[in-house]
Amino acid sequence: MKKKSISLLICMLFVASILAACGAKTGNEAAPAAPAPAATDKPKELQKVTIQMDGAAVPYYAPMYVAKEQGFFKEQGLDVDFVYADAASIVKNVAADNVQFGFPNADAVITAKSQGIPVKVVHTTYQRGLGATIFKKNKGITGPKDLKGKTVAVTSFGSPNYIQLQVMLEKNGMNIKDVNTKIVGTGAIVNALVSDEVDAITFSMLRTVELKNSGVDVDEIRSDDFLPSFGNVVIASDKYLSSNKNTVIAFNKALNQSLDYIIKGNAKAAIDMSIKKYATSSEGKQEITEQIFNDVFIPYLWQSDLTKKDGYGAADMARWQASIDTQKTFDTIKTSFKAEDLVVTNLK
């Protein structure tokens, strides 16, 4: 019996060793490792594009910065870089395809188009212009007619603000000779108002908010009430738009998503991020910047009755045409043209 038991034990051990060699599995064994991802599983490569923006990095460009930092550009397949220049240079760089997108003020774009520079407005980001005639309340000014005989400062006789002043006066039965116009440089024009060197300035309405915040009792007449205009807009070259329409659409979608994010309760977060990461020279100005967003950008510049119907960046072609025609009337541009030749409205 002993010999039979030993033989049986040997046989059992032999069978077990064969099963182990053949890879028999038990309930406690780990599953085999998953195969390595195929090459097609790699993340989609992002398309690099550059947008050149007017002036320098400021928190007012938060919609661009948010679109990058919140991943809205990335969701659209874009990797966007930011560079800066003056408006005239931006238009030329876009036309030459040195950069894919530009964000200059609309007046520079109208001037460029009148000179045959091949660019298109693909997103009317600022629905209105920033121009305003600002004055201290103790100057006895409540409307345009009260400017008669007053000294009004502008930065130059060729500036858009100077045209805005002329149009406002003409639409109120006066002309530029009814005021004493004074040229004051950009860096000194606000102080000229504060120090009573002038009675009013035709400049940017952002200064109205800043002056009120600093305790100066001022009011304003907004230029857009008399002359339709626009602030910063997104542009692309005719060539780039024709061959990269889907990229332009993707850029606009991301920008619109960013605007919506800011407008619907995230202005402070957007400002804080923009100043910390991009516009560091505005450190310490978060509170006044947020006030400017809430008073000017959100209700007045980024939105209009048209955007509520057609979405952010929609173009009011009648207003565009009025702006073009007015520049021709005041000889700022030599050649007029149809708004449809500059502004694209069917990007879908």
Side-chain angles (χ1 to χ4, degrees), residues 46-80:
L46 299 178
Q47 181 180 353
K48 286 191 72 68
V49 297
T50 298
I51 182 165
Q52 192 165 46
M53 298 191 283
D54 202 340
V58 290
Y60 309 124
Y61 293 151
M64 298 294 177
Y65 304 144
V66 165
K68 186 178 181 79
E69 297 302 319
Q70 287 293 320
F72 301 146
F73 281 137
K74 187 176 182 180
E75 288 172 12
Q76 295 297 327
L78 302 177
D79 180 9
V80 181

Side-chain angles (χ1 to χ4, degrees), residues 133-188:
T133 297
I134 308 167
F135 46 88
K136 288 182 179 179
K137 290 183 179 179
N138 62 10
K139 294 291 182 179
I141 301 169
T142 58
K145 291 185 178 180
D146 297 323
L147 293 171
K148 189 169 185 177
K150 298 287 196 293
T151 300
V152 183
V154 294
T155 55
S156 77
F157 290 132
S159 70
N161 293 139
Y162 183 59
I163 296 173
Q164 292 161 9
L165 176 61
Q166 291 181 80
V167 172
M168 180 178 66
L169 292 171
E170 289 192 4
K171 288 193 173 181
N172 284 274
M174 298 180 287
N175 61 51
I176 199 65
K177 293 180 180 179
D178 288 314
V179 301
N180 302 312
T181 310
K182 184 171 183 175
I183 303 300
V184 181
T186 301

